[in-house]
Amino acid sequence: MSKVIAQLIAGEWTESRSRELIEVTDPATQEVLVLAPKATHEEIEAAIASAKETFLSWREVPVSERARLMLRYQHLLKEHHDELAEILAKETGKTFADAKGDVWRGIEVVEQAANIASLMMGETGENVARGIDTASWIQPLGVCVGITPFNFPAMIPLWMFPLAIAAGNTFILKPSEQDPMTPNRLAELFIEAGAPKGVLQVLHGGREQVDALLTHPDIRAISFVGSVPVGQHIYRTGTAHLKRVQAFAGAKNHMVIMPDANKDQVLSNLVGASCGAAGQRCMAISVAVFVGEAKNWIPELAGQMAELRPGSWNDPHAAYGPLISQQAKQRVQRLIIEGKAEGAECLLDGSHCTVPGYPDGNWLGPSLFRGVTTKMGLYREEIFGPVLVCMEVESLADAIKLINDNPYGNGTSIFTSSGGAARHFQHDIEVGQVGINVPVPVPLPFFSFTGWKGSFYGDLHAYGKQGVRFYTETKTVTSRWFDESPVSGPNMTIHLK
């Protein structure tokens, strides 16, 4: 029987008493790698109680010491970079190069968390009234929760718990049940870096465990990344129980191609941005908007996409790996079938892709459509697979309107050699993250990840300055000191002049 992975509760790795176990499978072979428990009610309560108690002492640890913990942690993450990437690749199916990128982007956020002292500084104002000064102090919230998705099992947990803990909070991580081995290893290294017992807890499970965290009175803040329906549920439930919530949900990212762009750069970037990680990225480009004569490049795009080949994580020639599950593969296949039925022209169909030596893998080849309209499921739904749809418009204004009418606003990009067109696009577009000749504009962690509209529910975004603000409260202190005031003690009275 496969090993049941442990949970981290009150500083100890413990085997769950739950009899409900989730199979974690290799998406290239369907081999069961481990079993993940569904945390029991008692285990959830114990983790929350430990985090709540630990917060009282952790918040008093000097900010410089918390920063040094993050410095030690990022050093360990770098030492174990390839080991983490191999674990991640095996349980997600990502290529080794892609898995290393996943880990590295998380390390960059930990490096930002090591800068926590400057990010926790408040503000001061002298003589706001006669003899009165005001200062603001940035203080931690308490027990925070992170609910993370399957597609970035290193980067997204590292978006959350290092910054929250560096700010003085304690944290409970509930990683995806589809690939929990990587988050567990991240937590082991965090303990090795010197994290005190109870600062970080790791619980496993599904919706029942998530709902228990969403509704518990001792939880102060919840961070989530995942699908639209789950994101909406997280946001509604968490805020209904008076918690601070940031919920990153779905996306439909457009890339606008102007006819004055560099064709070779456009095509190579578009192929990678649409099919990288098998399209299982919330910032993947899933809609290519060709303006004017740029539509003539679509046949060449089809030729380049047709050369892509999926494969196993350790195949150096593989462009990307399998989808995470059979259910995910079947969903994408359904959308491809529906797209054809609705009248879209299918230039490439990867529905029946096979990989030699891996007959049971969740493989999909690259798929490309043109003639897609906004009423088709291919456009309305987030596909989350290696599928790209092409749309054709006459002008930049038409492209902007198309994107602004879309309910999502996670990321978008434009390829052009015109500074005027780029300036017009970035100013008028209603999307949170914009790339100019950059296909996937994910900001580095000293900025924040800023999805808009239906891609994000909440007020403060992930990592960067907004991430610190999400995990903290601001206390404003107004003070006045008199020129002469008696200070009384048991045996003396001192007059200050």
Side-chain angles (χ1 to χ4, degrees):
M1 184 176 178
S2 299
K3 175 186 177 182
V4 179
I5 62 172
Q7 301 185 115
L8 180 60
I9 300 174
E12 302 293 337
W13 288 104
T14 59
E15 185 175 330
S16 175
R17 295 185 178 181
S18 174
R19 295 184 178 180
E20 294 186 84
L21 302 173
I22 305 166
E23 292 186 343
V24 179
T25 59
D26 180 335
T29 65
Q30 308 309 320
E31 173 193 358
V32 177
L33 300 173
V34 293
L35 300 172
K38 291 186 175 182
T40 66
H41 172 76
E42 292 75 18
E43 290 162 353
I44 294 170
E45 288 293 333
I48 295 173
S50 172
K52 183 179 179 181
E53 180 182 2
T54 304
F55 171 68
L56 299 178
S57 57
W58 180 244
R59 65 174 299 180
E60 303 301 332
V61 172
V63 66
S64 56
E65 292 184 25
R66 303 200 301 263
R68 283 194 285 272
L69 170 62
M70 298 303 154
L71 286 171
R72 293 192 298 272
Y73 187 41
Q74 62 90 23
H75 176 70
L76 280 174
L77 290 172
K78 289 178 180 177
E79 279 191 339
H80 294 267
H81 183 201
D82 286 4
E83 174 209 335
L84 285 163
E86 183 170 335
I87 296 170
L88 192 155
K90 288 179 177 178
E91 65 178 345
T92 64
K94 286 187 177 184
T95 64
F96 189 52
D98 196 9
K100 289 198 292 185
D102 186 333
V103 176
W104 186 257
R105 289 307 300 264
I107 291 173
E108 291 178 327
V109 180
V110 179
E111 291 175 338
Q112 181 72 357
N115 190 39
I116 193 65
S118 63
L119 297 172
M120 294 284 285
M121 290 181 178
E123 299 174 314
T124 60
E126 188 180 34
N127 282 333
V128 297
R130 294 187 183 280
I132 296 178
D133 305 325
T134 300
S136 65
W137 304 88
I138 309 300
Q139 297 185 336
L141 294 173
V143 183
C144 302
V145 165
I147 302 162
T148 59
F150 76 85
N151 58 334
F152 285 94
M155 181 185 76
I156 294 179
L158 293 174
W159 275 14
M160 298 177 183
F161 76 80
L163 205 58
I165 291 172
N169 302 284
T170 52
F171 202 89
I172 298 172
L173 177 64
K174 206 303 287 181
S176 170
E177 63 275 21
Q178 294 181 287
D179 47 14
M181 296 191 298
T182 302
N184 264 31
R185 185 64 180 130
L186 294 176
E188 288 173 353
L189 292 173
F190 192 56
I191 294 171
E192 187 178 335
K197 290 186 175 182
V199 167
L200 175 65
Q201 324 273 333
V202 181
L203 298 172
H204 297 294
R207 176 166 179 160
E208 181 183 351
Q209 287 68 36
V210 168
D211 284 345
L213 295 170
L214 292 176
T215 57
H216 198 286
D218 291 337
I219 302 297
R220 293 294 310 279
I222 299 157
S223 300
F224 168 81
V225 178
S227 68
V228 172
V230 179
Q232 291 175 342
H233 171 72
I234 296 283
Y235 187 72
R236 289 189 179 114
T237 307
T239 54
H241 287 81
L242 306 180
K243 303 183 189 310
R244 186 177 293 186
V245 180
Q246 53 176 199
F248 295 84
K252 200 69 180 179
N253 304 316
H254 302 67
M255 184 169 129
V256 175
I257 300 102
M258 300 296 291
D260 64 356
N262 182 299
K263 181 177 69 171
D264 292 339
Q265 291 177 354
V266 165
L267 297 182
S268 62
N269 279 275
L270 189 50
V271 168
S274 59
C275 293
Q280 297 176 119
R281 298 184 293 195
C282 67
M283 288 293 285
I285 295 296
S286 55
V287 183
V289 184
F290 291 86
V291 178
E293 295 304 309
K295 65 185 178 184
N296 296 328
W297 304 347
I298 294 176
E300 291 181 65
L301 172 64
Q304 290 194 21
M305 288 184 65
E307 295 176 1
L308 296 182
R309 182 176 63 81
S312 64
W313 72 271
N314 55 358
D315 179 352
H317 303 293
Y320 59 87
L323 271 69
I324 190 65
S325 67
Q326 285 288 321
Q327 293 77 11
K329 175 182 175 180
Q330 291 164 6
R331 180 180 175 277
V332 178
Q333 288 175 320
R334 170 183 62 80
L335 286 167
I336 290 172
I337 292 170
E338 291 177 358
K340 294 176 183 178
E342 290 176 326
E345 180 185 358
C346 184
L347 302 180
L348 286 174
D349 184 352
S351 296
H352 305 292
C353 174
T354 60
V355 173
Y358 297 90
D360 299 320
N362 307 323
W363 308 110
L364 280 176
S367 299
L368 181 67
F369 286 84
R370 72 183 303 178
V372 176
T373 71
T374 57
K375 294 182 179 180
M376 295 179 180
L378 281 172
Y379 182 77
R380 289 184 291 103
E381 293 189 45
E382 183 179 26
I383 299 174
F384 232 58
V387 181
L388 178 64
V389 304
C390 299
M391 305 181 77
E392 301 165 25
V393 297
E394 291 300 317
S395 67
L396 177 58
D398 293 335
I400 291 172
K401 184 179 187 305
L402 172 71
I403 297 169
N404 287 350
D405 286 345
N406 191 275
Y408 300 112
N410 213 35
T412 189
S413 59
I414 184 172
F415 273 66
T416 180
S417 61
S418 168
R423 173 67 173 77
H424 179 47
F425 182 79
Q426 73 180 38
H427 180 73
D428 287 350
I429 208 70
E430 296 170 6
V431 175
Q433 295 164 119
V434 180
I436 308 298
N437 297 318
V438 174
V440 182
V442 178
L444 289 168
F446 31 85
F447 288 91
S448 296
F449 189 95
T450 53
W452 283 16
K453 298 192 292 189
S455 295
F456 176 70
Y457 303 99
D459 301 300
L460 293 166
H461 293 92
Y463 59 78
K465 292 180 181 178
Q466 289 195 42
V468 175
R469 292 295 174 261
F470 178 79
Y471 292 122
T472 57
E473 293 274 30
T474 302
K475 178 183 289 183
T476 305
V477 178
T478 301
S479 59
R480 177 172 62 184
W481 296 97
F482 298 102
D483 290 337
E484 295 187 8
S485 60
V487 177
S488 299
N491 302 310
M492 61 182 176
T493 299
I494 299 175
H495 292 276
L496 300 178
K497 296 185 179 180

